[in-house]
Amino acid sequence: MGYVESARLLAREKGIEELVDIEAFETCRRIEESLRQGRTGEALAWCADNKQALKKTDSNLEIELRLQQYIELVRTGENPKLIEATLHARKYLAAQQDTEFTMRAAGLLVFPPGTAAEPYR
């Protein structure tokens, strides 16, 4: 919920600082803030650092972040960004087993930004 400083103070007050991983909360806060600003790099770095744990839980966080990167590239509607989006999709999204997922992502290239067509709106 973003109350990292409150958690730190409470842990210190109760004498349980060594039992509380405040750094994990700080990392989450930094990643959350970067995502709110439209940046996925920090979250992807975290995914790389925690690849094994994510794999054990069958998490799709990394692919969701890659998809968001793709969406942001396509959203501009500019030709250089669309080319970059295509290369990005080939590198990170094409290997997905879910062909519907891949086709919907590719469909973003067909519809211009601001389209009323669902689900590309």
Side-chain angles (χ1 to χ4, degrees):
M1 297 293 298
Y3 301 112
V4 176
E5 192 55 36
S6 295
R8 182 190 323 281
L9 293 172
L10 182 61
R12 186 176 304 138
E13 179 183 307
K14 299 296 181 181
I16 58 169
E17 289 173 291
E18 65 278 349
L19 301 175
V20 179
D21 191 358
I22 295 293
E23 291 172 14
F25 293 113
E26 288 174 340
T27 300
C28 288
R29 185 197 53 76
R30 278 194 319 274
I31 291 171
E32 178 184 8
E33 184 60 32
S34 70
L35 289 172
R36 288 186 191 278
Q37 294 173 3
R39 297 187 324 263
T40 56
E42 199 163 340
L44 285 167
W46 183 88
C47 286
D49 291 343
N50 295 279
K51 198 170 203 73
Q52 293 298 349
L54 290 170
K55 192 173 188 173
K56 284 181 185 177
T57 61
D58 290 327
S59 173
N60 62 351
L61 178 60
E62 183 176 0
I63 193 62
E64 291 290 334
L65 291 167
R66 296 294 183 187
L67 177 61
Q68 189 61 41
Q69 285 179 317
Y70 172 78
I71 290 169
E72 296 303 328
L73 290 167
V74 172
R75 187 185 313 255
T76 67
E78 301 168 1
N79 278 344
K81 292 291 184 179
L82 293 175
I83 292 168
E84 188 178 341
T86 302
L87 295 173
H88 180 85
R90 284 181 184 160
K91 183 173 182 179
Y92 297 110
L93 304 178
Q96 294 306 304
Q97 303 291 46
D98 185 352
T99 55
E100 182 181 337
F101 170 86
T102 306
M103 295 304 289
R104 286 182 70 185
L108 288 173
L109 293 171
V110 176
F111 294 94
T115 186
E118 288 292 341
Y120 303 104
R121 185 174 69 135

